[in-house]
Amino acid sequence: YLLACISANPPTDDFPHSGFEAGHVLADWFKHLRGIPKADGVIEQVALRLEQLYRASDAEGRNRIEAGALEHILEAPGLRRYFEHWGQDPILRQAYKPALQWGLAHADDAGSKDGM
């Protein structure tokens, strides 16, 4: 549902979440999952789906992914490893570099359960 909202950016009078709001909720969900033992597989699957969505999106959709979700996911040091490979990809790097800068500047180290 959240990925569909990020992709379609539906009007909030039809859906509870706009594209950017869904991105924020997705980031919060990622942060919640990092504290659950054995949640790595779920995080990896959703990170891959977010990557696929980014590749398939137009410029506006990519902006929703970068600014709505990725920036806030990368605030969590323990989640950065799921997206590090974005920095090596010529398409994904366009979002990864500025999102990582945001994440580093707004790191939620105090809430990190993994000590990273």
Side-chain angles (χ1 to χ4, degrees):
Y1 166 78
L2 294 173
L3 294 172
C5 287
I6 292 169
S7 177
N9 196 30
T12 55
D13 53 335
D14 293 336
F15 288 85
H17 299 100
S18 71
F20 281 103
E21 291 167 335
H24 287 277
V25 173
L26 184 67
D28 288 341
W29 186 60
F30 266 84
K31 291 175 183 180
H32 170 75
L33 286 176
R34 75 174 174 195
I36 298 175
K38 300 182 182 178
D40 284 348
V42 174
I43 296 170
E44 289 170 358
Q45 286 179 326
V46 179
L48 177 60
R49 300 238 351 246
L50 192 61
E51 175 182 330
Q52 293 166 339
L53 181 59
Y54 185 86
R55 290 182 186 281
S57 295
D58 62 12
E60 290 180 7
R62 288 179 174 188
N63 183 52
R64 287 190 296 275
I65 292 166
E66 178 186 331
L70 191 60
E71 287 179 351
H72 304 288
I73 293 168
L74 296 179
E75 291 170 357
L79 294 173
R80 293 180 190 145
R81 66 186 172 108
Y82 299 99
F83 296 91
E84 286 177 339
H85 68 280
W86 284 43
Q88 306 306 314
D89 184 283
I91 294 170
L92 301 173
R93 183 173 41 235
Q94 298 170 27
Y96 179 76
K97 285 189 174 191
L100 181 60
Q101 288 178 337
W102 169 277
L104 292 170
H106 299 88
D108 66 354
D109 294 323
S112 178
K113 296 186 187 274
D114 49 22
M116 298 179 87

